[in-house]
Amino acid sequence: MDVTAGTRATAVSAAVVLVAGVTIVLYGVVRDDLARALGGACLTMPAMTLIALVAVRRWVTDTSEDRRLLGASIREAQAEKSRYFAAKAALENEQGRLTRDAAIDRRRATVAAMAEREALHQQFEEKRAQLVCETFEMAFEMARRVPDEHARAEDKRDVVIQFPTQQQEQAPVRERSRGHNVVGP
């Protein structure tokens, strides 16, 4: 408990006056002197009153329990603050880890996609080369089967693409009727 210097001085002064008053009262009683006994009582009463007031003040203003509760509350708040900062740091670390993991996963997916793209491109090039080879073989076979222009005109089986003749092109085209209730091809 914290007692101020003024309170301590007041209590010591009141104790000295009380001791002096009691001594004067006893001296007056022993000497059978009413004036001294009454004077000692007049000193003793204010001294006792002052001591009582100091005790009451001390009792009323005693904040040791409040200070103890305040100290406990402050320690609890500091502990809560420490837990909050620890949780915040853990959350930031976790978010950083998740960000790094996501970046690593994106890089892995990009590398896998590029490898798959390269494989598909290589497969496409192989298929293209195969088709080019087959095309050249087929063209070579076609050129080898038809030795000259004359033989080709005689043999209809070797003609790959037949174009329409002029007679087929000049055939009349039948127009469709645009009237109502007429069904036509």
Side-chain angles (χ1 to χ4, degrees), residues 78-154:
Q78 289 292 339
E80 184 68 27
K81 182 180 177 182
S82 298
R83 283 192 301 269
Y84 170 76
F85 282 125
K88 185 177 178 181
L91 178 64
E92 287 174 358
N93 286 340
E94 184 67 17
Q95 286 176 338
R97 185 189 64 79
L98 289 174
T99 302
R100 286 190 304 274
D101 289 350
I104 289 170
D105 288 344
R106 279 193 301 272
R107 276 190 242 123
R108 284 182 187 158
T110 302
V111 168
M114 289 177 71
E116 186 175 342
R117 180 180 179 195
E118 185 63 32
L120 287 173
H121 183 68
Q122 186 176 2
Q123 184 181 6
F124 171 76
E125 289 297 326
E126 289 174 2
K127 184 71 173 173
R128 183 174 159 223
Q130 181 184 1
L131 288 174
V132 167
C133 288
E134 288 176 2
T135 303
F136 278 123
E137 287 176 7
M138 195 179 299
F140 179 73
E141 278 295 317
M142 286 173 53
R144 196 173 57 131
R145 280 190 184 170
V146 180
D148 61 353
E149 284 293 320
H150 226 315
R152 191 154 123 233
E154 293 175 5

Side-chain angles (χ1 to χ4, degrees), residues 61-78:
T61 60
D62 183 20
T63 59
S64 61
E65 182 66 24
D66 294 333
R67 287 183 186 178
R68 187 187 63 76
L69 290 174
L70 178 63
S73 296
I74 288 172
R75 284 189 297 277
E76 185 178 325
Q78 289 292 339

Side-chain angles (χ1 to χ4, degrees), residues 13-29 33-48 51:
S13 299
V16 168
V17 171
L18 179 66
V19 170
V22 169
T23 305
I24 293 173
V25 168
L26 289 176
Y27 183 72
V29 169
D33 188 8
L34 182 60
R36 285 189 187 189
L38 193 59
C42 285
L43 283 176
T44 304
M45 292 303 233
M48 287 176 55
I51 290 173

